[in-house]
Every structure is written in structure tokens, then in C-alpha cells.
Amino acid sequence: MSNVDEYYTEILRFVKQAGSIVREKIYQHKDVLTKSCDVDFVTEWDQKVEKLLIDGISSRYPDHRFIGEESTSSGQKIELTNSPTWIIDPIDGTMNFVHGLPYTCISIALLINKITEIGIVYNPILEQLFTARKGQGAFLNGAPIHVSSEKELRQALVMLEVGTSRDPEKLKIVLQNITLLTSHVHGIRSFGAAALNMCMVALGGVDASFEFGIHAWDVAAGDLIVREAGGVSIDPAGGPFDVMSRRTLCASSMELAQQLSKILIQYYPERD
Ligand code: IPD
Ligand code: CA
């Protein structure tokens, strides 16, 4: 058994435990705190799930490092080094979790030498476990998944998100892109959890997904899952994907990704 095999087995155990918390709490009342703005939420359960994952991994692998959404918002510095680093969103789709909309997940990726080795996205409400290991394909509940064969933007179903920023400049660009895309694609969808959106591309249910302003924890796992499902993950302007850039675009094919990147109005948030 390689080290990564062992890490994978261990993390699945902790992710399942984290999933039980999310499943138990989603339909209960939660006290909600806000972070960067009035609609950027955190609950005690986001914090508890992140702690469960970090404590579990640290107890087994004390030299592993972490980039976690809630540790970062409590002031911890984001630093991606060559050490094994777990990038964690304890609850992606916190707004959905708060409202009891069962489209929410735990998203976790392991990077070693800045290369993603493991990606896991788990929706414990709908019992959808998306997994990928570098070079070994992508899976939903253990069954292989594959992106759609779509190459044409005008026939594509595209996911995007308004996001949690209410910065007027950012919102203006989001709305311009929605207007622009409406006349170029089959349809637009927005479900409220970036990691699951990327998994929908991996599953072939939608053909592309993009967002400006997401963070490393929203996209690190989804990036590997899409690529292992045969899709592509790039910067929305057409260059290589950069997990710290806060910009993401993934699609079923490079042809489709490039067509989409060419028509999008670009937005460059401050990097993670
Ligand atoms: C958010 C969700 C949402 C996306 C935001 C993210 P969170 O993550 O993924 O779909 O539009 O940009 O911040 O706050 O629920 O973990
Ligand atoms: Ca989150």
C-alpha cells in the first residue's frame, strides 16, 4: 500500500464522520454568523466539521499541512508549500445548509508537491460520494463517471454562481455574463455549491461550470474529479488552472472550455 493509498483510506473515514454531522444538522435550526459580507455565512457546524477533519488527519500524520476555509477566516495564513497539504471546505454550500436545501457537501483535496493526488466531494444528504485519485479515474459511489461529449457552446448547459461577494463591480460582471451567455448556450444553472457544480460536469449532467471569486477550498477537489472524469479545468481566460487564483472554469472538452473563455467578461479577484 502506497502512502497515498493509506491517506485515501484514512480520509474517507473522517469524511464519512463529517458527513454524519452535516446530515444530522441540515434540517435543524442553526445560529448563523457572517464573514466577508451579510450573505457570507458560517455556522458552528462548518467550524466543527473542519476541526474534526484537521484533528483526525493531524493525529495520524502530524507533519501534514492544511488550508481550511474556517481556519483561514479565523486568521490563519494561507500557504501552499510542497508538503502534503489538505485543502478543506468543511461545508461547501453553507447557504444551502443553513436553509435546509440538500445541495451541500464536504470538499477535500490532498496536494503533494503542489500536485493534486486526492479529491473527495461528499453530499451526505443525497448520499453522493465523488472521488478521484490522480491517474485512476473519477467515481460516484464507487462507479466510474465521465464528462459529456459536448464540444459546442451553443448546445451546452452551463453552471455559474453569483457567489457570496456583494462588491458592485463583481456583481456587474456576473450579471453581464449571465445576459451574454443566455443567447449563447442551451441553459444556465446555479445550485449554490461550487464543488458540487464541478462534480456535475464530471458526471456529464452539465457541460461546463465557471466562477470568479471562489477560493482554493471550493475548487481543489473538483478540479481533480473533473480531470479524472475526462474533462478539462482551466483559468477562465484560457490559461492553466491555478488553485490559488480564485478563478475557475471546467468543461467536458477543451474546445468547449476555450469557446466559453473567449466570450466571458473577465474578473480578477485578489488571490488566495
Ligand atoms: C460558496 C459556494 C457558492 C459559491 C461561493 C462559495 P461556501 O462556498 O460554493 O456556490 O458561489 O463562491 O464561496 O461559502 O458555501 O463554502
Ligand atoms: Ca464553506
Side-chain angles (χ1 to χ4, degrees):
M1 205 188 204
S2 77
N3 284 347
V4 178
D5 288 338
E6 190 193 301
Y7 303 153
Y8 181 70
T9 308
E10 286 295 303
I11 193 58
L12 274 180
R13 225 161 42 86
F14 298 128
V15 167
K16 286 292 175 79
Q17 288 171 19
S20 302
I21 298 180
V22 175
R23 195 186 304 114
E24 188 191 326
K25 301 297 170 190
I26 184 164
Y27 299 121
Q28 296 182 8
H29 167 81
K30 302 146 201 98
D31 291 326
V32 177
L33 298 173
T34 56
K35 298 192 288 185
S36 63
C37 71
D38 287 355
V39 292
D40 186 9
F41 291 165
V42 61
T43 69
E44 67 180 294
W45 305 110
D46 298 70
Q47 292 157 343
K48 285 186 172 143
V49 167
E50 184 158 318
K51 185 167 170 4
L52 181 154
L53 294 169
I54 294 180
D55 288 354
I57 299 163
S58 300
S59 67
R60 296 280 289 126
Y61 310 111
D63 58 331
H64 284 199
R65 301 172 66 111
F66 300 93
I67 297 175
E69 175 171 16
E70 307 314 337
S71 320
T72 303
S73 65
S74 318
Q76 198 162 306
K77 209 169 143 253
I78 297 184
E79 205 184 357
L80 181 60
T81 66
N82 286 338
S83 304
T85 302
W86 296 89
I87 302 187
I88 302 173
D89 191 339
I91 301 185
D92 185 39
T94 297
M95 176 70 79
N96 291 350
F97 174 69
V98 165
H99 282 264
L101 177 64
Y103 194 79
T104 186
C105 63
I106 293 140
S107 173
I108 184 161
L110 173 66
L111 279 68
I112 303 177
N113 295 321
K114 302 194 178 108
I115 308 275
T116 311
E117 296 284 343
I118 294 173
I120 296 173
V121 173
Y122 180 40
N123 178 340
I125 324 296
L126 302 182
E127 211 42 82
Q128 293 181 322
L129 176 67
F130 294 91
T131 54
R133 298 268 312 272
K134 181 167 68 79
Q136 297 187 23
F139 300 85
L140 168 57
N141 297 337
I145 54 173
H146 206 272
V147 293
S148 76
S149 54
E150 196 50 68
K151 293 190 166 62
E152 288 299 325
L153 186 59
R154 64 176 185 278
Q155 284 163 21
L157 192 54
V158 177
M159 298 207 81
L160 54 79
E161 292 289 335
V162 173
T164 44
S165 161
R166 289 297 174 262
D167 170 52
E169 189 207 343
K170 155 91 193 296
L171 276 183
K172 189 171 148 210
I173 290 176
V174 169
L175 294 175
Q176 283 173 332
N177 277 325
I178 292 174
T179 309
L180 190 77
L181 271 180
T182 304
S183 55
H184 281 84
V185 299
H186 265 180
I188 296 173
R189 299 290 182 269
S190 187
F191 292 169
L196 281 171
N197 293 353
M198 295 175 89
C199 290
M200 293 304 126
V201 175
L203 193 57
V206 299
D207 306 300
S209 176
F210 74 94
E211 187 174 343
F212 302 114
I214 38 74
H215 291 275
W217 43 82
D218 297 310
V219 295
D223 159 59
L224 183 66
I225 293 169
V226 167
R227 288 187 288 111
E228 288 295 330
V232 298
S233 174
I234 64 170
D235 179 82
F241 171 74
D242 173 352
V243 72
M244 306 304 263
S245 71
R246 303 189 57 208
R247 295 162 47 83
T248 182
L249 189 164
C250 62
S252 53
S253 63
M254 189 53 93
E255 290 91 332
L256 179 57
Q258 293 294 347
Q259 284 172 47
L260 182 55
S261 75
K262 284 199 181 75
I263 69 163
L264 288 179
I265 299 166
Q266 300 290 324
Y267 179 74
Y268 291 86
E270 195 180 322
R271 293 172 60 78
D272 271 334

